[in-house]
Amino acid sequence: MKMPVIRHLVETQTLESLLAAEEALLEEQTPAFEVEGEDEGEQLTHVFAAIFILNHMQDHKSDFKTALREYTKKVRVSIS
């Protein structure tokens, strides 16, 4: 998971385009825009993170940093 890639997706893509990219990756297809990542799994992780962050920003009227912290907190809990 690379934060600069996630930030780029949040800043350049809409929620709708990210959801379409998620669907494409899950169907083992190429998304309509480039998603950086070493493999499809990392690309999907970046898209998932960007979707979560955009939703959090919208739902809680928060900024990128706050939403990113919430996402990383969620990831740490799932790992432990």
Side-chain angles (χ1 to χ4, degrees):
M1 180 170 65
K2 296 181 177 112
M3 299 306 164
V5 174
I6 296 168
R7 176 184 287 274
H8 177 73
L9 291 174
V10 168
E11 291 175 347
T12 62
Q13 299 300 320
T14 64
L15 185 56
E16 293 76 23
S17 67
L18 289 167
L19 291 170
E22 173 189 23
E23 184 67 30
L25 288 166
L26 288 172
E27 297 292 327
E28 298 180 5
Q29 298 173 357
T30 303
F33 55 90
E34 182 182 355
V35 178
E36 291 183 48
E38 292 183 21
D39 56 28
E40 291 85 5
E42 187 175 40
Q43 292 171 350
L44 193 56
T45 298
H46 293 151
V47 170
F48 281 154
I51 289 169
F52 177 92
I53 289 168
L54 281 175
N55 279 325
H56 191 278
M57 288 169 65
Q58 183 177 19
D59 294 347
H60 301 280
K61 307 292 185 241
S62 65
D63 64 351
F64 175 79
K65 283 185 178 185
T66 303
L68 178 61
R69 271 195 297 274
E70 287 302 314
Y71 179 74
T72 56
K73 212 183 299 183
K74 195 173 184 64
V75 169
R76 281 193 303 270
V77 168
S78 73
I79 292 173
S80 56

